[in-house]
Amino acid sequence: MAIWQDLVSDHGFAASYASVALCAQLAGEKTPEARAIILTAPGEEGQVDYGDGPMVRDAGSGKYRRARLFVLTLGFSRKSVRLLVFRSSTKVWAGLHEWAEYHDAVLSYPPNW
């Protein structure tokens, strides 16, 4: 009621109190979505996502090929490594895990599987 009274007296607001109440209700805080927060110690765990990636132009042939996307996200820091590969096999998948765990993704490049 005080907001509506201030609008009327200070600014000559001509609309009804109900319009101000509706505006305040629509602008009010909404209930936030529930989110799970998982706390882990540094180096304790990570999450791996592996699947279809983008279409990438092959440097040799010049044609577009579907790449596979490997993403390893660390549980504590939320830092992640994202790698693209063209071939997919158990050996490649395991090799991506090993490379991501033991190499610095910013300064070096993954091997060509």
Side-chain angles (χ1 to χ4, degrees):
M1 188 73 139
I3 295 172
W4 176 74
Q5 289 174 341
D6 288 343
L7 286 171
V8 170
S9 62
D10 296 345
H11 303 287
F13 189 70
S16 67
Y17 170 75
S19 62
V20 175
L22 178 63
C23 183
Q25 181 182 10
L26 293 175
E29 292 186 31
K30 299 192 176 6
T31 305
E33 292 184 28
R35 298 177 193 262
I37 298 173
I38 300 171
L39 302 176
T40 62
E44 186 175 307
E45 69 179 54
Q47 176 181 335
V48 171
D49 295 305
Y50 186 67
D52 288 336
M55 296 293 285
V56 179
R57 188 183 299 252
D58 187 357
S61 67
K63 295 182 180 180
Y64 282 95
R65 295 175 57 192
R66 173 71 62 192
R68 302 287 288 176
L69 177 63
F70 173 88
V71 180
L72 171 70
T73 305
L74 300 176
F76 179 75
S77 65
R78 294 294 185 218
K79 291 184 179 180
S80 63
V81 175
R82 296 172 181 90
L83 303 172
L84 291 176
V85 292
F86 286 113
R87 292 186 303 168
S88 181
S89 68
T90 305
K91 182 179 177 182
V92 169
W93 186 78
L96 289 167
H97 276 275
E98 290 178 6
W99 186 89
E101 289 180 20
Y102 298 111
H103 293 83
D104 182 0
V106 176
L107 301 177
S108 58
Y109 295 92
N112 185 11
W113 282 293

